[in-house]
Amino acid sequence: MVNKSVTPLPWYVAYTKPRQERIALENLEQQQFNTYLPLFKKLKKPAKNAPSQELIVTHEPMFPRYIFFQQREAEQSISKVQYTRGITTIVRFGSELAVAPAEVLEAIRQIEDQREQADSEELNPLKPGTKVRLNEQSGLYGLEGLVKVSSSKRVIVLLEILGNLRSVKVKPSSVDII
């Protein structure tokens, strides 16, 4: 009896049209490909005209415009992927198709799972009133202030500068919680 170890098929990377990751995912699944679109759980402000102003939990692509796909059978042709609705191209390095190692995808899945289990405090620790210090990534290194408003892209920090309160917009990576 011969023991043949089956080598798993590689995972490839496709580049999608802007904001069409889910369309590409659905179309690849209809073509019988295994797919993976890592999603990032985050808090988002509701629209200004929304009845409730509470933060909303959303799931956005972790890697905008990228999706992973795998053949279900070795004989399955991947050439049709580049013509799939929602896909711009298959990612290549020269003439070689980009392959995502299984251990990298597993690490991404673990991060995705951890993020999914996180509560709102863990998702956005920079809530209004949090005391922060500006770090070396900002021009105001070392100054301390209070978070006035925060989002995933910017934080407005209330600082006392020369005896006056000033609001300063910085990237979240420019502040350290103290």
Side-chain angles (χ1 to χ4, degrees):
M1 182 180 227
V2 178
N3 184 5
K4 287 186 180 179
S5 63
V6 177
T7 304
L9 294 170
W11 283 87
Y12 299 105
V13 184
Y15 187 64
T16 70
K17 294 180 179 172
R19 293 173 300 286
Q20 291 195 18
E21 298 90 352
R22 287 179 173 89
I23 291 169
L25 179 84
E26 184 179 307
N27 285 302
L28 286 172
E29 287 173 349
Q30 287 176 359
Q31 294 176 47
Q32 303 303 307
F33 285 97
N34 294 324
T35 59
Y36 178 43
L37 174 61
L39 297 175
F40 192 76
K41 179 180 174 183
K42 63 186 264 185
L43 297 175
K44 196 173 189 177
K45 286 184 180 180
K48 289 184 180 182
N49 58 356
S52 171
Q53 289 301 304
E54 288 186 33
L55 293 175
I56 300 168
V57 174
T58 64
H59 292 83
E60 297 181 6
M62 195 178 289
F63 308 106
R65 297 193 69 182
Y66 290 94
I67 187 171
F68 301 99
F69 69 95
Q70 178 188 52
Q71 300 153 287
R72 290 194 182 166
E73 298 175 5
E75 301 78 32
Q76 187 178 15
S77 172
I78 64 168
S79 63
K80 60 184 173 182
V81 170
Q82 63 191 16
Y83 304 108
T84 299
R85 188 167 161 241
I87 301 282
T88 298
T89 189
I90 300 172
V91 178
R92 298 175 187 273
F93 297 110
S95 62
E96 297 291 318
L97 294 174
V99 175
E103 56 273 4
V104 170
L105 292 178
E106 183 55 36
I108 293 169
R109 281 186 171 93
Q110 288 176 3
I111 292 168
E112 188 178 23
D113 289 344
Q114 289 170 355
R115 188 85 180 171
E116 189 59 37
Q117 301 304 318
D119 61 16
S120 61
E121 184 78 21
E122 293 171 296
L123 292 176
N124 188 8
L126 294 172
K127 61 182 184 283
T130 303
K131 192 170 183 180
V132 295
R133 179 179 296 122
L134 296 172
N135 61 34
E136 65 273 356
Q137 295 180 19
S138 100
L140 301 170
Y141 175 71
L143 290 178
E144 295 179 3
L146 298 176
V147 172
K148 186 175 179 182
V149 178
S150 74
S151 71
S152 61
K153 295 183 181 171
R154 73 168 184 237
V155 178
I156 299 176
V157 180
L158 193 58
L159 300 172
E160 186 175 337
I161 302 174
L162 299 173
N164 294 314
L165 290 177
R166 299 281 182 214
S167 293
V168 177
K169 294 178 189 175
V170 295
K171 293 179 183 175
S173 61
S174 297
V175 298
D176 296 322
I177 298 173
I178 53 174

